[in-house]
Amino acid sequence: MKFLSQTFNIQTEKGPQFIDITDRVEEAARKSGIANGFAVVFSKHTTAAIRINENEPALIGDMERMLEGIAPSCAEYKHNEFAHAFSTNGERPNGHSHCQHLLLGASEAVPVMDGKLIVGQWQRIFLIELDHGREREVVVQLVGE
Ligand code: ZN
């Protein structure tokens, strides 16, 4: 069995922001030398998600509006009081970011076949920033033979 683990540091600029990381995952898959197996793409954050969807600018606008509709940034969240009162790391009020993340999730698994990452014609892997811009860590692990 072969195994490769890589951590990518990704600087985001704003929230929401969809960052296409498919090329980085494909490169990690090539580097691993794995013919058949899978890649797990994992965000180490509670306000930055990993999801697969189409990289089409109008659609990304639609998805950003959907997230804002589900958990509006201007709504009231108990977490925002908590963040104000107890934060030592300067966390801004971000209850909406956590609630949006709950519906998206922290990881995706993608098959590797014949040495290639298998994604459909329109499928791209996104890191989705749901809070404000900052440095994020994405772990890509490849397992197979
Ligand atoms: Zn928070």
Side-chain angles (χ1 to χ4, degrees), residues 108-127:
E108 291 274 17
V110 185
V112 175
M113 286 166 65
D114 300 324
K116 282 186 183 158
L117 200 67
I118 300 300
V119 284
Q121 186 182 2
W122 304 109
Q123 286 186 312
R124 304 295 290 178
I125 305 163
F126 290 98
L127 169 67

Side-chain angles (χ1 to χ4, degrees), residues 81-141:
E81 296 164 26
F82 172 83
H84 278 308
F86 302 110
S87 174
T88 53
N89 61 1
E91 180 173 307
R92 301 185 203 179
N94 63 358
H96 67 289
S97 316
H98 292 282
C99 290
Q100 292 170 0
H101 184 277
L102 181 70
L103 300 174
L104 297 177
S107 68
E108 291 274 17
V110 185
V112 175
M113 286 166 65
D114 300 324
K116 282 186 183 158
L117 200 67
I118 300 300
V119 284
Q121 186 182 2
W122 304 109
Q123 286 186 312
R124 304 295 290 178
I125 305 163
F126 290 98
L127 169 67
I128 306 170
E129 177 61 75
L130 300 165
D131 203 347
H132 61 90
R134 65 175 88 172
E135 187 162 284
R136 297 297 200 172
E137 279 185 279
V138 174
V139 179
V140 177
Q141 294 200 326

Side-chain angles (χ1 to χ4, degrees), residues 24-52:
R24 292 176 195 231
V25 181
E26 276 176 342
E27 199 191 320
R30 261 196 307 277
K31 211 186 272 183
S32 75
I34 288 169
N36 293 293
F38 59 88
V40 170
V41 185
F42 178 75
S43 159
K44 285 177 67 180
H45 308 281
T46 56
T47 57
I50 300 290
R51 272 295 170 256
I52 292 173

